[in-house]
Amino acid sequence: MDRLRAFEVFVTVVSRGSFTRAAAVLDTSPANVTRYVNELEAHLGTRLLNRTSRSLSLTESGETFYARCKSILDDVAETEGLVSSASVKPRGRLRINAPVSFGIRYLAPLWPEFMRMYPEVELDVALIDRVVDIVEEGFDLAIRISRAGSTNQAARKLATSRNVLCASPAYLARSGYPATSADLTRHRCIGYSYAATGDEWQLIDSDGRAHTVKVDCHMHTNNGDTARAAALAGHGVIRQPTFLVGNDLRAGTLVQVLPEYRLPDIDVLALYPSRRHLSAKIRAMIDFLVEAFGGLPPWDRAEGT
């Protein structure tokens, strides 16, 4: 069995919704299309399609296999283009993972422009706050918020964001302003579930000395906007990046706590599987994001600049 041809037949059947229509597109007979799909299912030892006289639908295994086959065929087309043309046009499905809050605030407004520039690229964006395995989970690109310099994967830096401690004026009026890092132990704090250091917050003083404080978190969340909402409502101190709370600090709805201390910066990175060829669609997206976030990042710009 020609597996690459079988992949092509299977993807065409799914996209066209019919063995007969797939046969017409592929310039072959319906019987030949049926043979390829049957041989593919026999080779894999699983059913990929549910068939009735009137409709086709993917099985659970079929859904996973279809996504991977489509990605493989896209990569093959681009690889062929590398040797047949001096310039490769970005095309095909591009699976991107990004954190929820960052993805909604700073990436979602960019996608329409990217799609206008590259109409043959099909975006598939998954917003997930946990750290995904981009190879195992089949992503072409991941936007990762990471402590500066902490990744050893193939990556391109897009921007840097400061981390800050902050709370609402109402909370600070009730509980007082901490004067030293040790004072944080007497305050109610809101923790981020995916933080690498957990409830131990590291602060760096003006002499460069690091102070690690075990804080009392009466709430934990795996989403930065949820922590921000709790802080805005007066429920405690948060440690969050300026891309999330920068506007609140400028508006005065949140107030920076212990501004004389510095927290470790975080990088905004575009990660991609180092074992894979950097295809035209991935390169186009990375270059597009580098330009979009170039210079002073949007979260640190004053309103209207």
Side-chain angles (χ1 to χ4, degrees):
M1 178 182 63
D2 182 343
R3 276 190 280 179
L4 191 60
R5 177 61 172 174
F7 290 178
E8 182 184 17
V9 170
F10 171 66
V11 166
T12 306
V13 168
V14 175
S15 63
R16 298 293 172 169
S18 161
F19 282 72
T20 302
R21 287 193 288 270
V25 170
L26 297 168
D27 193 24
T28 187
S29 68
N32 209 25
V33 170
T34 301
R35 179 178 63 82
Y36 268 111
V37 173
N38 288 342
E39 289 181 356
L40 188 58
E41 289 180 327
H43 173 73
L44 296 172
T46 187
R47 180 173 289 278
L48 300 173
L49 292 167
N50 295 313
R51 307 163 175 85
T52 70
S53 59
R54 296 185 177 182
S55 66
L56 291 174
S57 64
L58 286 165
T59 64
E60 184 177 352
S61 296
E63 289 180 358
T64 302
F65 192 67
Y66 172 74
R68 298 300 293 152
C69 282
K70 195 169 185 302
S71 178
I72 289 167
L73 292 172
D74 288 341
D75 285 347
V76 168
E78 289 181 352
T79 302
E80 289 174 342
L82 284 172
V83 296
S84 64
S85 174
S87 62
V88 180
K89 191 173 185 179
R91 67 170 72 89
R93 186 166 176 247
L94 180 59
R95 294 198 71 215
I96 301 172
N97 162 249
V100 176
S101 296
F102 189 86
I104 292 171
R105 288 166 180 259
Y106 297 105
L107 297 177
L110 299 177
W111 301 142
E113 175 63 14
F114 182 86
M115 290 186 289
R116 185 193 66 77
M117 293 172 63
Y118 303 102
E120 294 187 36
V121 176
E122 174 194 342
L123 291 183
D124 182 351
V125 181
L127 300 184
I128 308 170
D129 277 335
R130 67 175 172 82
V131 176
V132 304
D133 185 317
I134 56 178
V135 174
E136 286 295 321
E137 300 184 46
F139 288 101
D140 300 295
L141 189 70
I143 306 304
R144 188 71 50 80
I145 311 298
S146 175
R147 288 186 64 169
S150 65
T151 183
N152 58 4
Q153 292 181 275
R156 183 89 175 267
K157 181 177 173 181
L158 303 178
T160 297
S161 180
R162 294 180 298 114
N163 268 321
V164 294
L165 300 175
C166 54
S168 71
Y171 170 81
L172 294 171
R174 288 196 315 271
S175 304
Y177 286 73
T180 68
S181 58
D183 289 344
L184 284 175
T185 60
R186 296 188 289 273
H187 280 263
R188 291 167 65 86
C189 297
I190 300 160
Y192 182 59
S193 303
Y194 293 144
T197 57
D199 293 345
E200 292 186 343
W201 292 2
Q202 187 180 80
L203 291 80
I204 303 168
D205 64 26
S206 58
D207 294 324
R209 293 190 298 265
H211 302 260
T212 300
V213 182
K214 175 71 173 178
V215 296
D216 176 23
C217 289
H218 70 104
M219 174 183 176
H220 290 87
T221 176
N222 65 355
N223 176 259
D225 269 311
T226 301
R228 170 180 170 268
L232 287 168
H235 291 291
V237 179
I238 57 173
R239 177 187 61 174
Q240 288 293 328
T242 51
F243 74 71
L244 195 66
V245 298
N247 288 338
D248 300 310
L249 294 172
R250 285 187 286 272
T253 50
L254 290 176
V255 176
Q256 189 170 353
V257 172
L258 296 172
E260 64 273 20
Y261 290 85
R262 180 175 61 83
L263 278 67
D265 290 339
I266 53 177
D267 283 341
V268 181
L269 304 169
L271 273 65
Y272 53 92
S274 57
R275 67 174 178 82
R276 298 185 62 186
H277 162 66
L278 189 59
S279 64
K281 62 187 176 184
I282 298 176
R283 187 180 299 280
M285 176 59 76
I286 292 173
D287 290 344
F288 173 80
L289 292 174
V290 167
E291 183 174 352
F293 291 107
L296 188 67
W299 48 85
D300 286 334
R301 298 171 193 163
E303 295 289 339
T305 63

